[in-house]
């Protein structure tokens, strides 16, 4: 037996190998022991190949399952992707797609103007009297307290006017004059409120009045006659369909001078109070009309 290169052995699993030639050269018989050993060797090789092939198939199947699992996990994670990986906006319902209730456009009515209700006799219909316009027994303006005297009302406008006022009232169709007197510390003031049908008439009456257009003072209820012969201070104004006049002076008949600030402040306070009362009348009627 030698370890050199001899004839190649035949291997059915190897390409190019040659089947051994059996001969009876030299009249010999086959070496059955050698042939049995070769057959055993070949069988071992087959078993190894079958085992290796089965292992490779198992690995291949495991790899396929792993790929399937990874792929499934990938689909599950897609729901957690950032917004830029989500479907386009065309495929995502938007809030505007949801039907919302619609309402017809509405607008609140403009607030009623109180002055409209005291600018014409047609709208200025609430009850009116000297007592309702000048209520109570005294008036407080700031720190000053004025005691209320007599009140009066007449439709004969010229009868309660002095100087040129009677003509002013008559020419502008005055319908009524209400008067009230207040006193404080020897100073008395009479307020005369003349009514007209329209605001335009009241404005014209104010414009037509001059320094001699004076309302007649109203004595009574503890107040002596005043400002009939003495010099007194007078004012004229209007608001809405009302023209209002003041006449302030001393109850002892003394003439008023420019230095008599008490007379001026008393007349101004009563003129301011009269304006507020006329305006409140308009506010009350506007409020009542808004609640109807």
């Amino acid at each position: 037996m030698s370890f050199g290169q001899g004839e190649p052995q035949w291997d059915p699993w190897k390409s190019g190998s040659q089947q051994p030639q059996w001969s009876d050269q030299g009249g010999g018989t086959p070496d059955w022991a050698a042939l049995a050993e070769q057959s055993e060797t070949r069988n071992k090789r087959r078993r190894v190949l079958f085992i290796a092939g089965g292992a490779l198939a198992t690995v291949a199947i495991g790899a396929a399952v792993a790929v399937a699992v990874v792929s499934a996990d990938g689909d599950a994670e897609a729901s957690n992707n950032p917004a830029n990986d989500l479907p386009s906006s065309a495929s995502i319902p938007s809030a505007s797609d949801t039907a919302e209730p619609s309402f017809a456009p509405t607008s609140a009515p403009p607030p009623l103007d109180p002055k409209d209700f005291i600018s014409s006799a047609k709208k200025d219909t609430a009850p009116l009297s000297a007592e309702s316009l000048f209520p109570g027994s005294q008036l407080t303006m700031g720190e000053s307290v004025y005691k209320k005297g007599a009140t009066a009302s007449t439709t004969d406008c010229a009868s309660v006017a002095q100087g040129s006022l009677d003509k002013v009232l008559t020419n502008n169709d005055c319908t009524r004059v209400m008067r009230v007197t207040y006193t404080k510390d020897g100073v008395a003031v009479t307020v005369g409120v003349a009514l007209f049908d329209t605001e335009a008439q009241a404005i014209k009456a104010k414009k037509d009045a001059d320094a001699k257009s004076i309302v007649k003072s109203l004595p009574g209820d503890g107040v002596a006659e005043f400002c009939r012969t003495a010099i007194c201070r007078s004012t004229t104004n209007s608001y809405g369909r009302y023209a209002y006049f003041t006449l302030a002076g001393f109850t002892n008949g003394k003439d008023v001078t420019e230095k008599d600030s008490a007379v001026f402040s008393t007349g101004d306070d009563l003129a301011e109070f009269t304006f507020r009362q006329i305006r409140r009348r308009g506010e009350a009627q506007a409020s009542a009309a808004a609640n109807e």
Side-chain angles (χ1 to χ4, degrees), residues 47-103:
R47 287 195 295 269
V48 170
L49 289 174
F50 282 130
I51 293 171
L56 289 175
T58 302
V59 171
I61 293 172
V65 173
V67 170
V69 171
V70 170
S71 178
D73 289 344
D75 291 341
E77 292 174 357
S79 62
N80 296 323
N81 284 343
N84 54 10
D85 291 335
L86 293 174
S88 64
S89 59
S91 61
I92 301 176
S94 63
S96 60
D97 294 336
T98 303
E100 296 182 357
S102 60
F103 301 95

Side-chain angles (χ1 to χ4, degrees), residues 131 134-140 145-149 180-183:
E131 287 294 334
F134 301 102
S137 59
Q138 64 181 29
L139 168 65
T140 300
V145 179
Y146 301 99
K147 182 180 179 181
K148 181 181 172 183
V180 64
T181 295
Y182 289 89
T183 60

Side-chain angles (χ1 to χ4, degrees), residues 3 50 89 92 118 154 163 168 182 191 195-196 223 256 263 281 289:
F3 295 96
F50 282 130
S89 59
I92 301 176
I118 45 116
T154 181
V168 170
Y182 289 89
V191 180
L195 276 70
F196 302 86
V223 180
V256 175
V263 175
R281 178 175 170 81

Side-chain angles (χ1 to χ4, degrees), residues 10-25:
W10 174 67
D11 190 340
W13 301 99
K14 209 179 270 188
S15 63
S17 62
Q18 294 181 358
Q19 183 176 1
Q21 300 294 324
W22 310 111
S23 66
D24 52 281
Q25 292 178 358

Side-chain angles (χ1 to χ4, degrees), residues 4 7 13 23 33 124-125 149 154 171 173 181 200 244 271 280 282 285:
E7 291 293 331
W13 301 99
S23 66
D124 188 15
T125 58
T154 181
N171 290 346
D173 299 324
T181 295
Y244 53 99
R280 286 193 186 102
Q285 293 182 90

Side-chain angles (χ1 to χ4, degrees), residues 32-262:
W32 296 109
L35 290 174
E37 183 179 354
Q38 291 176 2
S39 177
E40 180 65 21
T41 300
R42 286 193 296 270
N43 290 335
K44 288 181 178 180
R45 287 180 179 174
R46 288 192 189 98
R47 287 195 295 269
V48 170
L49 289 174
F50 282 130
I51 293 171
L56 289 175
T58 302
V59 171
I61 293 172
V65 173
V67 170
V69 171
V70 170
S71 178
D73 289 344
D75 291 341
E77 292 174 357
S79 62
N80 296 323
N81 284 343
N84 54 10
D85 291 335
L86 293 174
S88 64
S89 59
S91 61
I92 301 176
S94 63
S96 60
D97 294 336
T98 303
E100 296 182 357
S102 60
F103 301 95
T106 59
S107 59
L112 300 176
D113 185 357
K115 191 177 180 183
D116 287 344
F117 290 84
I118 45 116
S119 293
S120 69
K122 292 181 179 180
K123 297 189 72 172
D124 188 15
T125 58
L128 177 62
S129 66
E131 287 294 334
S132 65
L133 196 60
F134 301 102
S137 59
Q138 64 181 29
L139 168 65
T140 300
M141 294 288 289
E143 297 181 354
S144 300
V145 179
Y146 301 99
K147 182 180 179 181
K148 181 181 172 183
T151 60
S153 178
T154 181
T155 57
D156 185 2
C157 299
S159 66
V160 296
Q162 298 185 88
S164 59
L165 184 58
D166 60 344
K167 185 178 180 180
V168 170
L169 298 179
T170 301
N171 290 346
N172 289 287
D173 299 324
C174 170
T175 61
R176 183 181 179 190
V177 174
M178 297 174 292
R179 291 182 296 165
V180 64
T181 295
Y182 289 89
T183 60
K184 178 181 180 295
D185 299 334
V187 175
V189 56
T190 291
V191 180
V193 180
L195 276 70
F196 302 86
D197 287 338
T198 66
E199 180 181 24
Q201 291 172 323
I203 291 174
K204 190 171 185 301
K206 172 188 173 182
K207 184 178 180 180
D208 291 345
D210 56 25
K212 295 181 180 180
S213 301
I214 302 170
V215 66
K216 186 178 293 185
S217 64
L218 177 65
D221 289 351
V223 180
E225 190 176 278
F226 66 100
C227 292
R228 295 295 175 89
T229 58
I231 297 174
C232 293
R233 191 242 184 173
S234 64
T235 66
T236 302
N237 217 320
S238 70
Y239 186 71
R241 72 183 187 108
Y242 300 80
Y244 53 99
F245 310 87
T246 67
L247 182 67
F250 294 107
T251 55
N252 61 6
K254 177 184 174 182
D255 289 341
V256 175
T257 69
E258 294 180 357
K259 296 180 180 180
D260 295 320
S261 59

